[in-house]
Amino acid sequence: MSETTIFDKILAKEIPADVVYEDDAVLAFKDINPQAPTHILVIPKKRIPGYADLLAESDAFVGDYMKKVAKVAQELGLNGDGYRIVFNYGKNGQQTVNHIHAHILGGRGMSWPPG
Ligand code: 5GP
């Protein structure tokens, strides 16, 4: 069993979050430390530590999760100007919460390469 994280407390509504989308499989909420005018985290309700762990999940699960990220971005009105999706993984990726999360960043032009 993977470790519990702050996101489990958000999923359990034990600590508040500014939720923008929720269904049976995922929760999307505003990042507490936004790096863009729109900065949303999309997490599966199933506890999966990080991106590499998606290999153990079914194609249906992963496909549904990826489509939900796109759906949230669309509902946020970001399709017109575009947006960036980030999955940080592990030490070099500077992942700080070990419950997989897609960052949706939008509302400004992004730079490349990322820091
Ligand atoms: P990571 O660095 O793991 O890719 O991203 C974790 C993200 O979770 C960070 O952007 C951080 O600001 C956000 N975060 C950490 N704790 C909380 C919290 O309690 N509430 C919310 N809404 N976001 C959080």
Side-chain angles (χ1 to χ4, degrees), residues 7 21 36 71 79 86 100:
F7 291 172
Y21 178 86
K71 178 182 169 76
N79 280 4
V86 174
I100 190 171

Side-chain angles (χ1 to χ4, degrees), residues 43-97:
I43 68 172
K45 291 188 170 178
K46 182 176 183 181
R47 191 191 299 154
I48 295 168
Y51 199 84
D53 303 293
L54 289 177
L55 286 171
E57 302 300 323
S58 70
D59 290 356
F61 177 90
V62 175
D64 180 69
Y65 178 40
M66 294 300 154
K67 289 180 77 168
K68 294 284 172 58
V69 175
K71 178 182 169 76
V72 171
Q74 176 176 269
E75 291 190 358
L76 291 166
L78 296 176
N79 280 4
D81 287 338
Y83 53 88
R84 180 168 291 172
I85 303 297
V86 174
F87 285 93
N88 294 323
Y89 179 71
K91 177 171 66 73
N92 280 359
Q94 295 206 324
Q95 182 178 3
T96 59
V97 179

